[in-house]
């Protein structure tokens, strides 16, 4: 059985959001549907645009797959359902989209590849800012970094690319008319991303990128029809990487050069020392390696102490046509050491074109150079001052006695100065002092005087011994400083490990505290503990501190794997190898903390199950007790009406019917409260929030509480609140019922509302006996009953349900004393966003 043909991919390319890519895709779908093509919508994002939503009418839509990530629900395209449906054409919007972790593939373009491999044609859309090779260019134009990108090669492989073009003026008019974004986002969009200059530059990028694609089509057409043409040589571009921050810019620039022609090759190369050593960040190099691979290139590492020579040997070996390098990060004074790699390669490249690319790190110096001296910077500077000023000062002090003392005396004085400088400044400062001192001693104190000549051979030997002793002492001092530094580091490690062990013994197990300690101990910017379900699953953060913690181990500067599913990731700078011992202990402790947290969660779940069992027991007892009264009333009333031997008077018959109705109402409220409490406990309540006017909702809700006297004070001038209409009505009804239950028969219940800041407080006031302070919070617990509550009036769920509904809607419900006696229930709800303040609150 032969494999199915690969489907054809058509891509609508736009310069910016809102140009009409999705609309054009749906219009093409309707055109093909009218011709009898089997078309389905795999996934289309309308973004609230009415015209686009209207275009979905008449098209079959494959239901989306529902995924959960970090406690939130998401939907993605159901690739399996599309493959099972097997249409002739599938519409899949937003080619560069990144799927939710846990989806079938990481990126949507990978979903599309699966559908194409099954022989199904696909139409998709993408904006120019999502093309990987143009990512940095778009960021420099708009100032906005695009996190979702698609490799250029994926789009280039499309069988057809169509630009959906719209002038900047027309797109801005669409924005002003509300056809692209919601009204509240329009002004910000026009003033930032959708500036006319930005849109013009993005439009030019899109047209130029497609123009290169047109050239490729033209060459293919000539080849297929055997048309003669002068074909340029195939581009083979080598990009030199140092592992520095400019590498991403160089890779994308080289990829754009390769993309201008058909069949070009991108080769990235990094030169390490002949011993395999490198001063580059391995994390940056790994990230750049992935970027090269994403853009369709290959990554190579070569060894060589002569970096320009190694680069040119590699380029000539692969027959490169161009070499792309970054302008040097050297500071001005560093050019005294030589012209730099870029200038040397350009001078020796011969027939290979050399491109020096500018970037934002030019002239800022190399930040990855290791620190060689063990002496602190302040002492080194003072050592250089002593090396430059000490010998002249000592010479000036010894000149008055010149000739009166023997040469060894002066040399010993200078040797003492050299030792002092080496003790304080370090090796190279001592070397400079020795050289300077030897020169001054020779000139001023060695016969013949005032000349650099040395007459006596013994003096030559003395000078040699002087220099050797000075260098030996300086080397010993530098070695001692390094040993002292290592000892101090060892002491710090011991103290850190001791503190870590102490925290374990004391039971300090908070993960953020531990990660903060890691961050402070090693001076990092951010630390994250990452976990995944399996070796191939996506990483998720189970704890992080710092402004921008890493989300993957390969995105961190330092990674310490604990096992295949757990890793500690740090960002900020690289660490020496000897620091990883302590870091490994922190990683092991973090794993223990995570395991303990899992055990605590299991214990908490067991506790909740125990509480649920207790509540269920109380619930069954309450149902058994409190359902009997209304059922008995309904049964007695209905049985009495069915007795044919009794001729009921009209009034008696009405009384029996009223008894049945009252029992049914009470039973309905009881069952409703039980069901609502169950929904609250299971966490399945999802409120439908809207803008509600209390003066319209409260009277009806209060009326449902019965025929008791209720006095309302809800001004019409109050702003609307953000709440669920059905839930809020239930809350008010339950509060009024509770107030009526405890208020004397001839006293009305007061329901009043007022605005307090950005919230509305609704007060339900009764004149009953009230509650003590320690019972005001317990009254909201399920099945809570107090001495003043008749046992025939419910199971004690009304207030518990009311508070649960209030909190679900973002509000609060508390109990307060009523001045003069009684209890006041205060329901606080948020004012609707953008609502006008009431006249009572003024400014």
């Amino acid at each position: 059985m032969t494999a199915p043909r690969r489907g054809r991919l058509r891509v609508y390319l736009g310069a910016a959001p809102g140009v009409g890519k999705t609309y054009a895709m749906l219009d093409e779908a309707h055109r093909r549907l009218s011709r009898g093509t089997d078309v389905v919508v795999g996934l289309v994002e309308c973004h609230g645009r009415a015209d686009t939503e209207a275009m979905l009418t008449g098209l079959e839509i494959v239901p989306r797959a529902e995924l959960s990530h970090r406690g939130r629900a998401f939907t993605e395209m159901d690739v399996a359902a599309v493959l099972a449906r097997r249409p002739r054409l599938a519409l899949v919007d937003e080619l560069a989209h990144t799927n939710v972790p846990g989806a079938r593939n990481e990126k949507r373009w990978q979903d599309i590849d699966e559908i194409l491999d099954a022989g199904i044609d696909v139409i998709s859309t993408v904006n120019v800012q999502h093309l990987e090779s143009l990512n940095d260019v778009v960021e420099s134009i708009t100032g906005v970094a695009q996190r979702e990108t698609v490799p250029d090669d994926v789009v280039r492989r499309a069988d057809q690319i169509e630009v959906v073009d719209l002038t900047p003026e027309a797109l801005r008019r669409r924005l002003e008319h509300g056809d692209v974004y919601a009204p509240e986002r329009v002004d910000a969009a026009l003033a930032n991303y959708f500036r006319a200059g930005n849109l013009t530059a993005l439009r030019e990028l899109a047209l130029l990128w497609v123009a290169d694609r047109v050239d490729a089509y033209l060459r293919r057409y000539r080849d297929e029809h055997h048309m003669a043409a002068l074909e340029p040589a195939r581009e083979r571009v080598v990009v030199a990487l140092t592992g520095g921050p400019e590498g991403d810019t160089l890779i994308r620039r080289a990829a754009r050069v390769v993309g201008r022609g058909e069949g070009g090759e991108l080769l990235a190369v990094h030169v390490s020392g002949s011993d395999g050593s490198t001063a580059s960040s391995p994390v940056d190099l790994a990230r750049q390696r992935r970027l090269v691979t994403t853009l369709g290139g290959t990554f190579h590492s070569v060894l060589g102490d002569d970096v320009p020579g190694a680069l040119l040997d590699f380029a000539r070996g692969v027959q490169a046509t161009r070499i792309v390098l970054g302008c040097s990060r050297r500071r001005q004074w560093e050019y005294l050491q030589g012209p730099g790699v870029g200038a040397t390669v350009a001078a020796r490249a011969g027939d290979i074109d050399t491109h020096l690319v500018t970037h934002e790190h030019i002239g800022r110096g190399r930040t990855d150079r290791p620190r060689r001296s063990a002496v602190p910077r302040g002492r080194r500077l003072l050592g250089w001052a002593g090396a430059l000023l000490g010998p002249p000062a000592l010479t000036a002090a010894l000149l008055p006695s010149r000739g009166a003392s023997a040469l060894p005396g002066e040399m010993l004085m200078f040797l003492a100065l050299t030792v002092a400088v080496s003790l304080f400044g370090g090796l190279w400062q001592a070397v400079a002092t020795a050289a300077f001192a030897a020169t001054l001693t020779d000139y001023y104190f060695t016969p013949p005087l005032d000349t650099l000549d040395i007459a006596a051979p013994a003096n030559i030997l003395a000078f040699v011994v002087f220099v050797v002793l000075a260098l030996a002492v300086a080397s010993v001092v530098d070695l001692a400083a390094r040993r002292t530094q290592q000892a101090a580091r060892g002491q710090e490690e011991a103290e850190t490990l001791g503190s870590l062990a102490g925290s374990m013994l004391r039971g300090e197990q908070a993960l953020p505290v531990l990660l903060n300690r890691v961050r402070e101990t090693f001076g990092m910017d951010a630390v994250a503990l990452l976990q995944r379900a399996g070796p191939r699953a996506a990483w998720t953060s189970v704890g992080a501190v710092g402004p921008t913690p890493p989300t993957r181990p390969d995105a961190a500067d330092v990674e310490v794997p604990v096992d295949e599913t757990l890793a500690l990731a740090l960002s900020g700078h690289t660490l020496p190898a000897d620091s990883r011992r302590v870091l490994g202990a922190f990683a092991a402790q973090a794993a223990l903390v995570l395991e303990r947290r899992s055990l605590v969660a299991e214990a908490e779940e067991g506790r909740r199950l125990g509480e649920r069992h207790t509540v269920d027991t109380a619930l069954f007892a309450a149902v058994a007790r409190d359902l009997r009264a209304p059922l008995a009333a309904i049964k007695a009333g209905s049985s009495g009406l069915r007795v044919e031997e009794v001729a009921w008077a009209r009034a008696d018959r009405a009384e029996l019917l009223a008894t049945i109705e009252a029992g049914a109402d009470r039973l309905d409220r009881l069952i409703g409260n039980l069901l609502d409490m169950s929904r609250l406990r299971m966490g399945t309540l999802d409120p439908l929030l809207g803008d509600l006017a209390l003066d319209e909702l409260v009277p009806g809700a209060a009326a449902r509480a019965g025929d008791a006297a209720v006095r309302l004070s809800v001004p019409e001038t109050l702003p609307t609140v953000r709440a669920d209409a059905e839930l809020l009505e239930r809350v008010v009804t339950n509060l009024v019922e509770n107030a009526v239950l405890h208020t004397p028969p001839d006293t009305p219940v007061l329901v009043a509302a007022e605005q307090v800041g950005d919230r509305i407080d609704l007060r339900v006031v009764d004149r009953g006996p009230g509650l003590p302070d320690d019972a005001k919070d317990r009254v909201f617990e399920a099945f809570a009953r107090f001495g003043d509550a008749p046992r025939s009036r419910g199971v004690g769920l009304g207030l518990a349900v009311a508070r649960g509904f209030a909190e679900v809607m973002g509000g609060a419900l508390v109990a307060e004393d009523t001045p003069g006696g009684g209890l006041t229930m205060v329901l606080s709800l948020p004012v609707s966003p953008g609502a006008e303040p009431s006249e009572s609150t003024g400014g």
Side-chain angles (χ1 to χ4, degrees), residues 773-787:
D773 291 339
D774 60 349
K776 286 186 174 63
D777 196 53
R778 288 188 290 115
V779 74
F780 295 104
E781 296 178 0
F783 310 108
R785 308 175 70 98
F786 294 89

Side-chain angles (χ1 to χ4, degrees), residues 745-758:
D746 298 332
T747 305
V749 171
L750 173 63
V751 180
E754 63 177 347
Q755 182 175 3
V756 181
D758 60 350

Side-chain angles (χ1 to χ4, degrees), residues 368-390:
D368 50 8
R369 196 179 293 113
R371 180 179 177 180
R372 297 185 178 183
S373 177
V375 180
R377 184 172 182 271
R379 285 178 53 185
R380 294 203 312 272
L381 294 177
L382 290 176
W384 282 116
L388 297 176
L389 302 178

